[in-house]
């Protein structure tokens, strides 16, 4: 286990807030990767998608890398639609 993995594991065990934020980051990274793969399959450039979605190119790049959390649901759905993805949202109650 690397030092980083030990740090993440330790912080996750002691801090529910850190655990929640790290889980959210992992989901964003997965979503960004899925989006990038779909965009590439559709033959669209980052510039094209950014222009059609009316966001700057950097926003699309950050989102694909899993670093952007400043997109609204509407923007996420619009970007997904542009690259041929269908988005579904499930909301459920769970204990943290």
């Amino acid at each position: 286990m690397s030092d980083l993995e030990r740090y993440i594991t330790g912080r996750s065990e002691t801090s529910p807030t850190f655990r929640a934020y790290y889980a959210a980051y992992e989901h964003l990274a997965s979503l960004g990767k899925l989006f990038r793969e779909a965009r590439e399959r559709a033959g669209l450039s980052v510039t094209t998608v950014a222009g059609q979605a009316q966001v700057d190119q950097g926003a699309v790049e950050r989102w694909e890398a899993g670093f952007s959390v400043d997109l609204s649901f509407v923007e996420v759905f619009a970007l997904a639609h542009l690259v041929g993805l269908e988005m579904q949202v499930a909301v459920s109650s769970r204990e943290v």
Side-chain angles (χ1 to χ4, degrees), residues 10-92:
R11 284 292 308 272
S12 293
E13 290 171 355
T14 61
S15 172
T17 301
F18 178 86
R19 183 173 52 247
Y21 277 105
Y22 190 74
Y25 164 76
E26 287 182 320
H27 290 299
L28 284 172
S30 296
L31 185 58
K33 180 181 177 188
L34 177 68
F35 176 80
R36 185 186 72 248
E37 291 169 352
R39 177 185 56 74
E40 290 171 348
R41 271 194 311 277
L44 298 171
S45 69
V46 170
T47 304
T48 298
V49 170
Q52 290 179 359
Q54 298 180 347
V55 298
D56 71 72
Q57 183 175 334
V60 174
E61 291 169 343
R62 286 188 303 277
W63 191 56
E64 287 185 355
F67 295 121
S68 182
V69 295
D70 59 350
L71 294 173
S72 71
F73 274 127
V74 172
E75 291 168 321
V76 171
F77 275 82
L79 288 170
H81 179 75
L82 285 171
V83 298
L85 292 175
E86 178 183 329
M87 298 268 316
Q88 297 178 359
V89 176
V91 178
S92 63

